Amino acid sequence: MPSAFSRLRPEDKPVVISAAFIVVILILGTVYTLITQGSAPLFSPNYLLQQLQTGAFLGIVAAGMMMVILLGHIDLSVPWTLTAAAMMATAVGGEMALPTGIAVGIAVGLVNGLGVAYLRIPSMIFTLGVDSVMRGLMVWHTGGFAPQDQATPLMRFLAAEKLLGIPVAIFVWVLVSLVIVTILARTAFGRSIYATGNREAAAYLSGIRTRWVIVGAFVISGICAAIAGILLAGYSTKAYQGMGNAFLLPAIAAVVIGGTRILGGQGRYVGTVVGVTLIVLLNSVLSIMQMPEAGRQVIYGSVIIGMLLVYGRDKRLTG
């Protein structure tokens, strides 16, 4: 008789597996803190809200990354798109800080999309080159030194303040999530993303303007990276060089762990949210355990590889 797990739809299995890993991480972390500290902070509402607040930055980056991965592409320009948006927002300041930061994300997304869709340059190569260009521009902008500009009050409010006892950054993440879910589930553009990711040639022959779908997905990725950069600058009270470097691989990992097929065409946004939560809690528990950096990297990589191997056992999921 088939088990309940085997009766799940292929796209639901990664969500269930990731959720199970989250429970395991919470249990292990709780047992460790009870033994070593005599308390269990992992189940404290304040602790969980704090983790979700910092996880919101990664979650927003991953939301945009998912749109690109659904097409079978990748956006490696995220680190310096995020950094450039934060630097330009803090440099301009005032009421134009947020529009300026988002404009940076749109501009980078357009360049990426046009390069991949019209020049047909592989996204991994083109976006890596754009990332290098953005890094050079920001080093030139700052003269190689840390910028002296400070985040605006609105940026600090969005990233670090609370509303009804809940960090505002979580509300921003929820808003971005609602937009992404609506696009994927309720719009022709969202359906075109899945169709193009499954087979671009067939989507083109069916009348879908696949090139503009690719451009649109990269623009969304750029906007999400810019929003995350603005929030991170508000959380840190300033922008700094390399602030986006820590978000690239975790964002890709969260999307893939959540069940989005790396070759495109299949994935659910709820899986990305669960993947982000898993990564944030894993890093938190390893910090509580005071795990050395080398050990963290080994465990972090092992969890990712292990979960991908589990998914790989289902031929229907991996195609």
Side-chain angles (χ1 to χ4, degrees):
M1 185 174 179
S3 64
F5 182 78
S6 63
R7 290 197 297 268
L8 290 172
R9 295 180 301 174
E11 60 268 28
D12 291 332
K13 291 182 179 180
V15 180
V16 174
I17 294 172
S18 298
F21 266 87
I22 290 174
V23 173
V24 171
I25 290 170
L26 286 173
I27 291 175
L28 291 177
T30 299
V31 171
Y32 178 85
T33 53
L34 283 174
I35 294 175
T36 59
Q37 303 175 16
S39 62
L42 270 68
F43 286 101
S44 165
N46 289 334
Y47 177 84
L48 293 176
L49 284 175
Q50 181 183 8
Q51 296 307 307
L52 288 176
Q53 180 181 20
T54 56
F57 312 137
L58 175 60
I60 293 171
V61 174
M65 184 67 74
M66 178 185 176
M67 302 292 280
V68 175
I69 292 179
L70 279 173
L71 291 171
H73 293 293
I74 199 77
D75 186 357
L76 300 183
S77 68
V78 161
W80 280 91
T81 302
L82 185 157
T83 303
M87 285 185 172
M88 297 311 298
T90 54
V92 172
E95 296 180 354
M96 292 303 297
L98 269 64
T100 299
I102 293 175
V104 170
I106 293 173
V108 175
L110 276 173
V111 171
N112 284 333
L114 293 172
V116 173
Y118 285 88
L119 301 180
R120 311 306 293 180
I121 300 174
S123 58
M124 180 177 293
I125 297 173
F126 191 84
T127 58
L128 185 62
V130 170
D131 185 72
S132 181
V133 170
M134 296 304 298
R135 177 174 56 189
L137 288 174
M138 289 303 101
V139 171
W140 173 79
H141 170 69
T142 60
F145 299 98
Q148 300 301 312
D149 306 298
Q150 299 294 315
T152 65
L154 178 58
M155 293 168 65
R156 291 195 291 270
F157 171 78
L158 293 174
E161 298 298 327
K162 292 185 178 182
L163 185 64
L164 303 176
I166 300 175
V168 178
I170 297 177
F171 288 110
V172 178
W173 183 18
V174 170
L175 179 60
V176 171
S177 298
L178 290 175
V179 172
I180 296 296
V181 169
T182 301
I183 289 174
L184 291 176
R186 303 290 183 181
T187 68
F189 176 67
R191 292 189 291 273
S192 298
I193 286 179
Y194 283 104
T196 304
N198 273 313
R199 186 165 295 179
E200 183 177 348
Y204 176 78
L205 292 175
S206 69
I208 295 174
R209 302 177 68 181
T210 55
R211 288 180 174 178
W212 284 108
V213 170
I214 293 172
V215 172
F218 274 101
V219 168
I220 293 174
S221 178
I223 292 173
C224 287
I227 293 173
I230 292 169
L231 291 179
L232 188 60
Y235 189 76
S236 305
T237 70
K238 62 180 180 180
Y240 52 93
Q241 294 188 25
M243 62 193 294
N245 292 342
F247 290 89
L248 178 61
L249 291 180
I252 296 172
V255 174
V256 176
I257 285 175
T260 298
R261 191 171 62 174
I262 195 68
L263 297 178
Q266 182 172 302
R268 297 178 62 200
Y269 182 70
V270 65
T272 298
V273 174
V274 175
V276 169
T277 305
L278 188 155
I279 289 175
V280 170
L281 290 178
L282 176 61
N283 285 332
S284 175
V285 169
L286 293 178
S287 297
I288 290 175
M289 292 181 176
Q290 298 181 344
M291 181 71 64
E293 183 61 27
R296 292 189 195 186
Q297 293 300 322
V298 170
I299 294 175
Y300 182 68
S302 297
V303 169
I304 295 173
I305 292 172
M307 296 191 71
L308 292 179
L309 287 175
V310 171
Y311 299 164
R313 295 175 64 87
D314 191 335
K315 294 182 180 180
R316 293 175 301 169
L317 180 61
T318 59

